[in-house]
Amino acid sequence: GESVGLHLPTLSVQEGDNSIINCAYSNSASDYFIWYKQESGKGPQFIIDIRSNMDKRQGQRVTVLLNKTVKHLSLQIAATQPGDSAVYFCAENNPGGGNKLTFGTGTQLKVEL
Amino acid sequence: NAGVTQTPKFQVLKTGQSMTLQCAQDMNHNSMYWYRQDPGMGLRLIYYSASEGTTDKGEVPNGYNVSRLNKREFSLRLESAAPSQTSVYFCASSEDSSSYEQYFGPGTRLTVT
């Protein structure tokens, strides 16, 4: 079946460096993508979203890039801070399936001091 | 606003026992969701309610029932708990059926022995 997956299960970066978290999706009909951050012991928290009519969207210190040709999504975090340590999930919508989301398995981001 | 609240935070059950997980949101959202999260896996949708008075099965509904008590509350019931239902359960809500951004509660950690 269709699925959303991540290339790297764990990513370690030095404080102050930029982080890039990748996600591959397989449903070419998906037209909405979202990134969530989940800190230990907490529920997922919205970071940023992007629709398929865009290639790039920027937020505060975060940028999401969408490459529909290769069905790839990435989350870039600038000047990574210790507070960015968390698991990051991408999710895609299910066109024709209401407003449900399909989540990827997550990437653990570890920020080293 | 408290956002999405869940009770209890932790629960231990014996196989065959029943229990209800409670969820409430104060954002006047129409849609609500129940997910389970297992180690190394993304969030999997159990049931959802697109609007008050409606409920639908998600990806993994077996062994669960839900009740959309009113617009604010959406409960998840385990009639006869099994060890395979050991997981962290998250409730979420979104504004309406055209909105994909979901707001999550803090989760309930359930252990079935």
Side-chain angles (χ1 to χ4, degrees):
Chain A
E2 302 285 2
S3 65
V4 176
L6 295 175
H7 294 309
L8 298 172
T10 303
L11 177 65
S12 295
V13 298
Q14 293 290 321
E15 182 180 6
D17 287 351
N18 297 333
S19 302
I20 300 176
I21 301 171
N22 296 303
C23 176
Y25 66 95
S26 57
N27 187 350
S28 56
S30 296
D31 57 9
Y32 176 89
F33 305 88
I34 189 168
W35 281 98
Y36 280 93
K37 172 186 180 182
Q38 185 176 24
E39 297 176 87
S40 181
K42 297 183 179 180
Q45 180 182 12
F46 170 85
I47 301 173
I48 192 167
D49 58 2
I50 188 168
R51 292 198 176 270
S52 60
N53 60 352
M54 302 173 70
D55 297 324
K56 178 179 179 179
R57 190 167 187 215
Q58 288 184 293
Q60 187 177 13
R61 278 202 310 119
V62 295
T63 301
V64 56
L65 299 178
L66 176 62
N67 186 330
K68 295 180 286 293
T69 302
V70 295
K71 289 183 280 189
H72 183 268
L73 192 67
S74 68
L75 177 71
Q76 300 179 359
I77 304 173
T80 311
Q81 303 169 358
D84 294 327
S85 293
V87 176
Y88 290 81
F89 295 93
C90 66
E92 63 181 334
N93 69 334
N94 296 281
N99 56 344
K100 294 182 288 184
L101 295 172
T102 298
F103 286 82
T105 54
T107 292
Q108 174 77 55
L109 176 64
K110 295 184 178 180
V111 181
E112 299 170 350
L113 302 178
Chain B
N1 282 353
V4 179
T5 57
Q6 293 182 236
T7 56
K9 286 185 167 43
F10 301 94
Q11 183 71 49
V12 178
L13 292 177
K14 295 187 188 309
T15 298
Q17 288 185 317
S18 62
M19 79 160 295
T20 300
L21 281 66
Q22 307 287 351
C23 173
Q25 52 89 13
D26 62 2
M27 296 175 282
N28 201 34
H29 285 174
N30 286 301
S31 300
M32 298 185 74
Y33 314 80
W34 275 106
Y35 293 90
R36 61 178 289 172
Q37 184 176 40
D38 300 297
M41 302 185 72
L43 294 158
R44 292 186 291 169
L45 184 65
I46 305 171
Y47 270 93
Y48 69 104
S49 172
S51 61
E52 185 179 357
T54 68
T55 60
D56 288 285
K57 295 178 180 180
E59 181 184 353
V60 288
N62 291 346
Y64 305 95
N65 284 300
V66 290
S67 295
R68 184 73 183 267
L69 304 170
N70 47 55
K71 190 172 184 178
R72 291 186 63 248
E73 299 172 288
F74 189 38
S75 63
L76 178 72
R77 182 160 179 83
L78 287 70
E79 290 291 352
S80 180
S84 62
Q85 294 178 304
T86 293
S87 189
V88 181
Y89 292 85
F90 289 99
C91 177
S93 69
S94 65
E95 189 171 341
D96 54 40
S97 59
S98 65
S99 172
Y100 293 109
E101 184 179 344
Q102 296 179 15
Y103 297 79
F104 285 82
T108 294
R109 185 174 293 276
L110 175 67
T111 301
V112 183
T113 61

